[in-house]
Amino acid sequence: MSRKRIGIMISGRGSNMAALIVACREGRLDAEVALVLSDVADAEGLERAENLDVPARAIVPKKYRTKLDGDDARAYAEAFREAGVEFICLAGFMRIVKAPLLEAFPGRILNIHPSLLPSFPGLEAQRQAWEHGVKFSGCTVHFVDASLDGGPIIAQRIVPVLDDDTAETLAERILTEEHELYAEAVGKVLSGRYRVMGRRVVRT
Amino acid sequence: MSRKRIGIMISGRGSNMAALIVACREGRLDAEVALVLSDVADAEGLERAENLDVPARAIVPKKYRTKLDGDDARAYAEAFREAGVEFICLAGFMRIVKAPLLEAFPGRILNIHPSLLPSFPGLEAQRQAWEHGVKFSGCTVHFVDASLDGGPIIAQRIVPVLDDDTAETLAERILTEEHELYAEAVGKVLSGRYRVMGRRVVRT
C-alpha cells in the first residue's frame, strides 16, 4: 500500500507544517507531504518547505480577504488534486475555508487550534485563555467544517497555565504540544479507525 | 486564631457539601461549616448535613423561581451573618445569586461547576461536554459574580473523556474530582494568599 499523500495550507512561518513534514520523514506518521500552499506570497513557511524538499507555492486569493471561497477555493482544490493529495492539514492558515474546498475534500480537512475548544475559538486563542484566567489550556485538532473552529474534535492535549506565565510563554508551551499532537491526530485519521457519532470522534 | 466559618448553599443531595464538611473534620481544610441553607424544602442534603452535625435548614424563596434576589437574598445574608459565616460555598445551588447576597459577601462567595469553564456553563455541563465530543473535561471552582458561571477562576481539574464514556460515567468521574478540588480551592481562598489581577487568580 502506498503512503497517503497530504497537503498543507499555511499563511505564516509554518511551524506545524514543518513538524508534520518531519514526522513523515521520521516515520512517526505514515504519510508524505505532497504539496504546501500559502495564501500569503512571502510566507516564511514556503522557504522552509523548500528547504525540506517539499513542493510549495503561494496561491494568493483574488477575491476575499478573510475567507477562501469561489474560484480561489477551487484553485486550491485543483492544485491539491493534481498533487494526488487525499487529506489536507491547515497549519496556521488564516482564512475561513468555504464550501468549494470543503466539498472537494469532505471530512478530509483538518485544523489545529491553540486552545481547548470550544473555549477560545478565533484569533489569539492563547492570549484569550491567559486573560480569562483558566488554569489549563491546550490545543485541539478538529475536522474543518463551515463554522469557526467548530468541527468535530479528533484530539486534544492539555497545557497547564502557570501563575507566572505571560500570554507569550503560554503560547510557546502550547506550540510544543501542537507539534506532537498534530502528527498523532493525522495518523489517527489516516488509519481510518475512527467513527464520527454526532460530534464525537471515537476509535473503532 | 479561630477557624474560619463557612456557609454552604444547596438545592439537592449535597455531595459537594458533604465533601467540604468531611474535609473540615479531617483537617484537610482549616475551617468549620457553620450553616447549610437550601432553597428546596426537602433537599436530601439537609438531612445529610444534620447527620454530620451541621446546622441546616431551608429558606424557600418567595418571589422568583430561578434566582435568589431581593428580600429572599437578604434573608440568606442575614442567616449566614448570624451564624458568623465569612465565606459562602455554593454546592449545587440551582439559582442565580443576585446583588443583595453578592454585596453582603463581596469576593467571598465560591461555586463549583462540572466543566472546564468557560466551556459549557449552565445546566447539564457534563452532558454538554460529552455531546460536544471534547477529549478532556473537568471541573472549575470560581468566584461568583453576576454572570452565569463566569467569575474569576480559582482552581480547575482535568478529567479525560473516554471513548466508551456515557454522559453519566463522565459525570461520575468529574464528581469524584470535584470533591477533592473544592476543599483545595476553598483552602487557597481562606489562606488569603492570592491576588486577582484582571480575571487571573494567582498565588502570592
Side-chain angles (χ1 to χ4, degrees):
Chain A
M1 217 175 77
S2 68
R3 302 175 87 197
K4 294 258 189 342
R5 292 169 72 83
I6 64 182
I8 299 181
M9 290 163 65
I10 62 169
S11 298
R13 60 196 170 131
S15 84
N16 274 307
M17 170 206 77
L20 286 175
I21 294 172
V22 171
C24 291
R25 293 279 155 81
E26 292 179 349
R28 280 179 288 121
L29 181 55
D30 187 23
E32 179 179 352
V33 179
L35 179 62
V36 172
L37 293 179
S38 165
D39 66 326
V40 175
D42 59 352
E44 213 183 305
L46 286 174
E47 199 185 324
R48 205 160 169 189
E50 281 162 27
N51 291 340
L52 289 161
D53 293 316
V54 172
R57 65 179 192 270
I59 303 182
V60 180
K62 295 181 181 112
K63 199 151 176 193
Y64 303 101
R65 224 174 47 87
T66 60
K67 61 180 182 175
L68 182 71
D69 203 351
D71 285 345
D72 294 317
R74 277 184 280 274
Y76 275 68
E78 188 54 27
F80 281 131
R81 260 205 228 93
E82 276 174 15
V85 161
E86 288 179 82
F87 290 86
I88 297 172
C89 297
L90 309 188
F93 187 74
M94 300 299 279
R95 290 166 185 263
I96 309 267
V97 174
K98 305 302 273 189
L101 185 55
L102 295 179
E103 286 164 10
F105 291 85
R108 290 183 282 130
I109 307 182
L110 281 62
N111 185 38
I112 189 158
H113 183 82
S115 78
L116 289 178
L117 291 171
S119 286
F120 315 120
L123 294 177
E124 294 210 78
Q126 306 96 328
R127 177 168 295 280
Q128 288 184 55
W130 182 81
E131 284 178 354
H132 195 88
V134 293
K135 300 302 179 187
F136 297 94
S137 192
C139 45
T140 301
V141 177
H142 62 92
F143 288 111
V144 174
D145 62 16
S147 68
L148 175 64
D149 301 325
I153 292 168
I154 299 158
Q156 295 185 300
R157 209 175 262 204
I158 300 290
V159 175
V161 182
L162 309 177
D163 278 356
D164 58 359
D165 261 331
T166 61
E168 290 72 24
T169 57
L170 175 62
E172 266 177 46
R173 290 208 316 288
I174 292 174
L175 187 61
T176 306
E177 297 297 322
E178 286 176 55
H179 293 165
E180 290 184 25
L181 181 70
Y182 211 172
E184 200 180 291
V186 171
K188 180 169 162 181
V189 170
L190 294 186
S191 77
R193 289 197 295 273
Y194 68 93
R195 251 191 320 174
V196 183
M197 302 163 75
R199 288 188 48 90
R200 295 169 55 239
V201 181
V202 300
R203 280 185 190 279
T204 53
Chain B
M1 215 175 79
S2 69
R3 302 175 86 197
K4 293 258 192 335
R5 294 169 71 82
I6 64 181
I8 300 181
M9 289 163 64
I10 63 169
S11 298
R13 61 196 169 131
S15 83
N16 274 307
M17 169 206 78
L20 285 175
I21 294 171
V22 171
C24 291
R25 292 281 155 81
E26 292 178 350
R28 281 179 287 122
L29 181 55
D30 187 22
E32 180 179 351
V33 179
L35 177 62
V36 172
L37 293 179
S38 165
D39 64 328
V40 174
D42 60 349
E44 213 182 305
L46 286 173
E47 199 185 325
R48 205 159 168 189
E50 281 163 26
N51 290 341
L52 288 161
D53 293 317
V54 171
R57 65 180 191 270
I59 302 183
V60 180
K62 294 182 182 112
K63 199 151 177 191
Y64 303 102
R65 224 174 45 89
T66 60
K67 61 180 181 175
L68 182 72
D69 203 352
D71 285 345
D72 294 317
R74 278 183 279 273
Y76 275 68
E78 188 55 27
F80 281 131
R81 261 205 228 95
E82 276 174 15
V85 161
E86 287 179 83
F87 290 87
I88 296 173
C89 297
L90 309 188
F93 187 74
M94 300 300 279
R95 290 166 185 263
I96 309 266
V97 174
K98 305 302 273 190
L101 185 54
L102 294 179
E103 286 165 8
F105 291 85
R108 289 183 284 131
I109 307 182
L110 282 62
N111 184 38
I112 189 159
H113 183 81
S115 79
L116 289 179
L117 289 171
S119 286
F120 314 121
L123 293 177
E124 295 211 76
Q126 306 96 328
R127 177 168 296 278
Q128 288 184 56
W130 182 82
E131 285 178 353
H132 196 88
V134 293
K135 301 303 180 189
F136 296 94
S137 191
C139 45
T140 302
V141 177
H142 62 91
F143 288 110
V144 174
D145 63 15
S147 68
L148 175 64
D149 301 327
I153 292 169
I154 300 159
Q156 294 185 299
R157 210 175 260 204
I158 299 289
V159 176
V161 182
L162 309 177
D163 277 357
D164 59 359
D165 260 330
T166 61
E168 290 72 26
T169 58
L170 175 61
E172 267 176 46
R173 291 209 314 289
I174 291 174
L175 187 60
T176 306
E177 297 298 322
E178 287 175 55
H179 293 164
E180 290 183 25
L181 182 70
Y182 211 172
E184 202 178 290
V186 172
K188 179 169 163 182
V189 170
L190 294 187
S191 77
R193 290 197 292 272
Y194 67 93
R195 251 190 319 174
V196 183
M197 301 164 75
R199 289 188 47 90
R200 296 169 54 240
V201 181
V202 299
R203 279 185 192 278
T204 53

